[in-house]
Amino acid sequence: MGMDRLENHNSVLVVIDVQNDFCSPDGLMAKAGKDVSRAVGMIPRLQAVIAGAHAAGIPAVFVRTTHSDGTTSEPWRYRSGKKETAPNCVTGSWGAEFFSISPGTDDYVATKHRYSALTSPEFQEVLARLERSSLLFCGVATNICVETTLRDAVCADYFATLIEDCSAAYSERLHIAALENIRESFGLITNAETVLERWHTLTGLGA
């Protein structure tokens, strides 16, 4: 992959929707019958990448979803053809809290109400302030919010890279399909080991 996308002066780590309702065995998705084991399993790698970004001086943006009556339109409520009866990540709820990760004091947090983080004015403001062109994506779900944000980032003229083993879907089939789609048309695919090795080289850490 193009190593320039991992340069610590030009990249941003974007962590999407790693929240209790989406990832925890006690969250709403698990209670609805979704398999969250992949989300749980990728957490140690994600934690290592977040720590690596901090060590390399790379900004990290933690994106979270929240929903409330004020942010839920009729088209959104009926987006799948049937009325949504139990919204996830309700504002202020345990389900909306981050799962097994915590933003550091120098990290950024942006809230969104739709699949794409590019619909969030907070997220757009952070990117404008950072003035970096390479976005490194991870989080859940690979085929929904992660892929949608990555596509929108490409359309907004950012270089987009997915850290695939720090991302998870609710089935391996959906995860792989998203990887194939991204690889074909939207961005590059890498993994945690490659990212961390490159950051170690750039900073002289772990040498």
Side-chain angles (χ1 to χ4, degrees), residues 73-143:
S73 65
E74 284 302 287
W76 180 257
R77 198 184 308 272
Y78 284 92
R79 66 192 179 279
S80 63
K82 56 185 178 181
K83 185 176 182 179
E84 179 184 71
T85 56
N88 55 58
C89 297
V90 172
T91 302
S93 70
W94 170 86
E97 295 175 4
F98 290 113
F99 174 72
S100 296
I101 59 171
S102 298
T105 55
D106 294 327
D107 292 329
Y108 300 87
V109 176
T111 301
K112 65 181 177 67
H113 310 300
R114 296 294 183 269
Y115 293 142
S116 174
L118 269 296
T119 63
S120 165
E122 288 180 329
F123 185 68
Q124 293 182 37
E125 181 181 337
V126 169
L127 295 186
R129 186 185 312 160
L130 292 173
E131 296 184 320
R132 294 171 177 232
S133 62
S134 177
L135 305 184
L136 312 175
F137 291 98
C138 49
V140 297
T142 315
N143 60 307

Side-chain angles (χ1 to χ4, degrees), residues 3-198:
M3 287 294 101
D4 58 318
R5 297 193 183 204
L6 300 181
E7 292 290 341
N8 52 350
H9 68 275
N10 193 44
S11 58
V12 179
L13 180 67
V14 182
V15 182
I16 296 180
D17 290 359
V18 181
Q19 296 167 262
N20 287 326
D21 266 351
F22 296 136
C23 302
S24 171
D26 297 317
L28 196 64
M29 293 297 103
K31 290 179 178 178
K34 302 291 187 181
D35 181 0
V36 299
S37 62
R38 294 167 188 81
V40 173
M42 63 90 172
I43 290 295
R45 291 186 295 275
L46 177 58
Q47 291 171 332
V49 165
I50 293 170
H54 290 161
I58 293 168
V61 186
F62 289 69
V63 180
R64 61 187 175 194
T65 290
T66 65
H67 293 300
S68 66
D69 289 342
T71 64
T72 303
S73 65
E74 284 302 287
W76 180 257
R77 198 184 308 272
Y78 284 92
R79 66 192 179 279
S80 63
K82 56 185 178 181
K83 185 176 182 179
E84 179 184 71
T85 56
N88 55 58
C89 297
V90 172
T91 302
S93 70
W94 170 86
E97 295 175 4
F98 290 113
F99 174 72
S100 296
I101 59 171
S102 298
T105 55
D106 294 327
D107 292 329
Y108 300 87
V109 176
T111 301
K112 65 181 177 67
H113 310 300
R114 296 294 183 269
Y115 293 142
S116 174
L118 269 296
T119 63
S120 165
E122 288 180 329
F123 185 68
Q124 293 182 37
E125 181 181 337
V126 169
L127 295 186
R129 186 185 312 160
L130 292 173
E131 296 184 320
R132 294 171 177 232
S133 62
S134 177
L135 305 184
L136 312 175
F137 291 98
C138 49
V140 297
T142 315
N143 60 307
I144 306 175
C145 293
V146 177
E147 183 179 355
T148 303
T149 303
L150 187 150
R151 285 172 174 242
D152 281 355
V154 172
C155 292
D157 293 328
Y158 289 96
F159 294 109
T161 303
L162 178 72
I163 308 175
E164 63 92 8
D165 58 349
C166 291
S167 304
Y170 298 120
S171 77
E172 190 66 12
R173 176 184 63 83
L174 292 173
H175 181 74
I176 291 172
L179 298 188
E180 292 176 351
N181 216 21
I182 292 168
R183 186 181 289 112
E184 179 70 21
S185 300
F186 298 106
L188 300 184
I189 306 292
T190 188
N191 56 44
E193 181 179 6
T194 299
V195 169
L196 290 172
E197 285 181 356
R198 179 57 176 167

